């Protein structure tokens, strides 16, 4: 059946409703969406293949879920004036309306890694950031992309793209080389190392305490490789207690952190400058706990999770403040900030403080929060209850472990 369409110019056109008169990929009925035979302000022009004049046909815009009446979202436009057309931004996954997507002061068009604020230079054009090459001991003026530094079957360029460690053949510590995992179609970064084994102890002192759900959940969660619960309490007067309001020590927090991230605790190579209060050699009558703590410290030092104090000590039995905990946690756990969450940045955290980036990331990700007065209290000592909550919330966001096995129905 033929119909008459009255355009804005008041010219009547008799057409077949299934005809695409202007060749833009939309039939006449699709262009006259409400069927009133008038070119309304929200409809496309059936006699103009590019209603908004932006250089892209109406049909292709509709297919791409763009607005065919807005020229700024056409593939050939550059609304943020960064030198990249919208089509190029889509390929790079950068923001069409933000000239510097990763906010590292280098525009998307000039940034070889426009989605990562850590990387902004690639002097040798080998697709490996100079900053990345420096951290991993690679030359910044030579093509390292085809090298396989750890002999795991993945080139260094493939390791960078996958997020695996080019200096560790088994990035997730599950006993399988990264290259073999990629070849098998498994994730070389996710270690299936956590299992729910049920509560090991009932802690008599956490009943009714706000931290109880976090402590109980972590006590039921076991690191498969070590057959060890993430949270361990203490036995006092024939009962088990957790002491949630006590300050957590550095070695205790490291144990929570390394067990929950499934980081292999091993006889790691000592750093160039060894803290004076960390033993390197094994004692003649070393207990299993002493061996574990020594290996914890060496592993954390090797991974850059912890650093010593200016006086050359590490103080493993010393307390941890909230700022130190934030830095240690973000050094090992890739928590992601939530773009829809805009927490108020605490007034007691200066933007240029050494711990500010870590605190900001934890606040935006929802892993950490301020105290009741709205402040973060970076110098305040972290309690064992706070440590359990911090570790569990970070674990649930960590893509490198199988945190999806954790029961969360009892959490607030």
């Amino acid at each position: 059946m033929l119909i008459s369409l009255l355009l804005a110019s008041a010219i009547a056109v008799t057409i077949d409703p299934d005809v695409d008169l202007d060749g833009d990929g939309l039939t006449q009925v699709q262009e006259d969406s409400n069927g009133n035979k008038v070119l309304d302000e929200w409809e496309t022009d059936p006699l103009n293949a590019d209603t908004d004049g932006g250089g892209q046909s109406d049909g292709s815009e509709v297919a791409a879920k763009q607005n065919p009446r807005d020229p700024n979202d056409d593939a050939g436009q550059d609304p943020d004036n960064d030198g990249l057309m919208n089509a190029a931004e889509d390929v790079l996954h950068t923001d069409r309306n933000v000239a510097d997507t990763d906010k590292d002061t280098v525009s998307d068009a000039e940034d070889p890694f426009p989605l990562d604020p850590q990387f902004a230079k690639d002097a040798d054009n080998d697709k490996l950031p100079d900053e990345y090459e420096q951290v991993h001991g690679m030359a910044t003026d030579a093509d390292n992309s085809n090298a396989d530094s750890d002999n795991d079957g993945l080139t260094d360029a493939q390791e960078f793209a996958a997020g695996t460690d080019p200096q560790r053949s088994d990035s997730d510590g599950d006993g399988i080389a990264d290259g073999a995992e990629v070849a098998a179609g498994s994730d070389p970064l996710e270690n299936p190392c956590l299992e729910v084994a049920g509560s090991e102890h009932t802690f008599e002192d956490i009943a009714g305490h706000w931290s109880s759900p976090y402590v109980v959940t972590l006590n039921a969660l076991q690191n498969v490789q070590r057959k060890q619960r993430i949270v361990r309490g203490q036995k006092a007067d024939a009962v088990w207690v957790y002491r949630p309001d006590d300050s957590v020590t550095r070695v205790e927090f490291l144990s929570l952190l390394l067990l929950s991230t499934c980081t292999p605790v091993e006889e790691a190579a000592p750093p160039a400058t060894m803290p004076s209060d960390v033993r390197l050699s094994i004692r003649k009558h070393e207990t299993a706990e002493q061996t574990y703590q020594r290996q914890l410290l060496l592993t954390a030092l090797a991974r850059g999770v912890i650093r010593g104090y200016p006086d050359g000590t590490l103080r493993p039995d010393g307390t941890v403040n909230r700022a130190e905990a934030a830095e240690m946690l973000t050094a090992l756990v890739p928590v992601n900030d939530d773009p829809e969450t805009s927490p108020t940045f605490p007034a007691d955290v200066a933007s240029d403080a050494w711990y500010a980036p870590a605190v900001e990331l934890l606040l935006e990700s929802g892993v950490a929060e301020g105290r009741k007065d709205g402040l973060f209290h970076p110098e305040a000592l972290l309690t064992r209850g706070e440590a359990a909550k911090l570790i569990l919330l970070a674990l649930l966001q960590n893509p490198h472990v199988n945190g999806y096995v954790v029961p969360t129905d009892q959490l607030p």
Side-chain angles (χ1 to χ4, degrees), residues 253-261 305 328-329 332-333 391:
F253 188 73
L254 283 176
S255 180
L256 290 171
L257 182 55
L258 269 61
L259 286 173
S260 66
T261 56
V305 177
M328 292 161 68
L329 184 64
L332 198 58
V333 183
I391 289 294

Side-chain angles (χ1 to χ4, degrees), residues 187 189-191 333-336 394-403:
D187 186 348
L189 282 175
E190 185 194 295
N191 189 335
V333 183
V335 294
N336 297 311
L395 185 159
L396 294 173
Q397 285 197 21
N398 189 353
H400 294 178
V401 297
N402 58 328

